[in-house]
Amino acid sequence: MPRASGPLAEALARRAVLLDGGLSNQLAAQGCDLSGDLWSGRVLAERPDQVAAAHTAYARAGAEVLITASYQVGYEAFAAHGHDRTETTGLLHRSVRLAARAAEAADHEVWVAASVGPYGAVLADGSEYRGRYGLSVRELAAFHRPRIEALLAAGPDVLAVETVPDSDEAEALLTVLGETGASAWLSYTVADGRTRAGQPLREAFALAAAFPEVIAVGVNCCDPADVLPALEAAAGETAKPLVAYPNDGSLWDAGTRTWHTPEAPVPWPTRAWRTTGARLIGGCCRIGPTRIADLARAVRGS
């Protein structure tokens, strides 16, 4: 079947749409080696069949949006591992093709979202949870522009501009989106009512309000307890649909490259998220297909 019947923005105007879960944890569950700086990008390069299998697992769980394996793929990072620009562009295109094939094989409509991770992701040092890289908005735009252009050339339905820790980086990304006219959602990673870089959330969300290219704003890869206050802040600045896909409440330790898991599961008040305006709902790191299937029943049941 066609992977989607119309633009994602039109669906969001009518109903809630279910995102997938964490790609890296599903790849690890399938036995993939995610060690090294390239992380899931390494699997994309070496085991594309495993990426396809992960996308398929989420589609079967009921996900209506599949996010590509391009989060960690950057020209500079891959050049350091022997990949020239042509090869890296090919991997960005591959990431979209793999998700598209899984979407087209699903028994329900599925959109493909090309992941645009933050500058800190390609540094592989945890700085996507800190921001404040020491780069100007112009320098950050120059970093993001070529890979956004490469992803768009592969034909995704939308861009997932995700895990943005810093409103300066959001400004750079919005600049590039304005140049391309591409549809995207913008999601920050947040903690304690601020961006990870410490900026007020209302100011951060206000940046996106004037950009028609942005079809939804919200948060991802954060503690579930931080979601509702962030959505409330976003709703105070924009009437756009909201997006929420937290992790399981774990904290990433960049030094040991491990997650520190909470002692007890953190509740997900999805009904309150919906009431606040969330229309794109799913999971990020450490949220697998089983949890997405449960979330599908909760979202559709409400």
Side-chain angles (χ1 to χ4, degrees):
M1 64 180 293
R3 70 190 193 209
S5 59
L8 179 58
E10 292 181 2
L12 295 179
R14 300 190 306 270
R15 62 180 180 87
V17 175
L18 187 69
L19 295 169
D20 60 7
L23 186 62
S24 61
N25 49 266
Q26 180 59 22
L27 291 173
Q30 293 170 191
C32 298
D33 183 1
L34 298 178
S35 63
D37 294 346
L38 299 183
W39 197 40
S40 57
R42 174 183 173 185
V43 183
L44 175 66
E46 298 177 357
R47 295 295 308 276
D49 59 311
Q50 291 294 325
V51 174
H55 287 318
T56 297
Y58 281 118
R60 288 175 176 167
E64 298 172 279
V65 180
L66 299 177
I67 302 175
T68 66
S70 50
Y71 176 86
Q72 202 85 10
V73 181
Y75 287 99
E76 295 81 358
F78 272 67
H81 289 266
H83 296 267
D84 63 24
R85 292 188 70 84
T86 299
E87 291 172 329
T88 302
T89 297
L91 289 175
L92 291 167
H93 290 179
R94 174 187 288 177
S95 73
V96 175
R97 288 198 306 270
L98 292 172
R101 289 172 189 165
E104 290 159 3
D107 62 1
H108 56 279
E109 66 176 349
V110 178
W111 289 267
V112 172
S115 175
V116 180
Y119 176 80
V122 302
L123 301 180
D125 62 358
S127 59
E128 69 260 51
Y129 298 117
R130 298 191 300 269
R132 298 298 193 190
Y133 313 118
L135 299 179
S136 67
V137 170
R138 176 178 291 185
E139 288 170 324
L140 287 167
F143 167 79
H144 285 293
R145 187 174 289 110
R147 63 188 190 134
I148 286 177
E149 290 173 346
L151 287 167
L152 290 174
D157 298 300
V158 67
L159 297 178
V161 178
E162 56 181 355
T163 326
V164 179
D166 191 320
S167 58
D168 289 345
E169 185 164 26
E171 183 179 349
L173 286 156
L174 290 166
T175 297
V176 179
L177 291 178
E179 294 168 356
T180 64
S183 295
W185 76 72
L186 172 68
S187 58
Y188 289 95
T189 179
V190 302
D192 302 321
R194 303 178 80 85
T195 69
R196 295 289 185 133
Q199 297 125 340
L201 286 183
R202 291 194 65 151
E203 294 178 12
F205 288 122
L207 289 172
F211 282 81
E213 296 81 9
V214 177
I215 65 169
V217 296
V219 293
N220 78 289
C221 210
C222 61
D223 191 303
D226 285 318
V227 171
L228 185 57
L231 295 181
E232 291 171 342
E237 296 298 329
T238 178
K240 295 178 186 290
L242 305 183
V243 56
Y245 53 119
N247 57 37
D248 68 345
S250 297
L251 295 175
W252 175 250
D253 185 329
T256 62
R257 301 180 70 85
T258 57
W259 289 97
H260 296 290
T261 306
E263 293 183 2
V266 181
W268 285 36
T270 54
R271 186 178 295 273
W273 299 353
R274 290 278 309 276
T275 300
T276 307
R279 292 294 177 269
L280 271 173
I281 302 175
C284 201
C285 297
R286 301 171 66 81
I287 303 298
T290 299
R291 188 71 179 273
I292 293 301
D294 292 341
L295 189 59
R297 288 187 285 271
V299 169
R300 290 165 187 159
S302 61

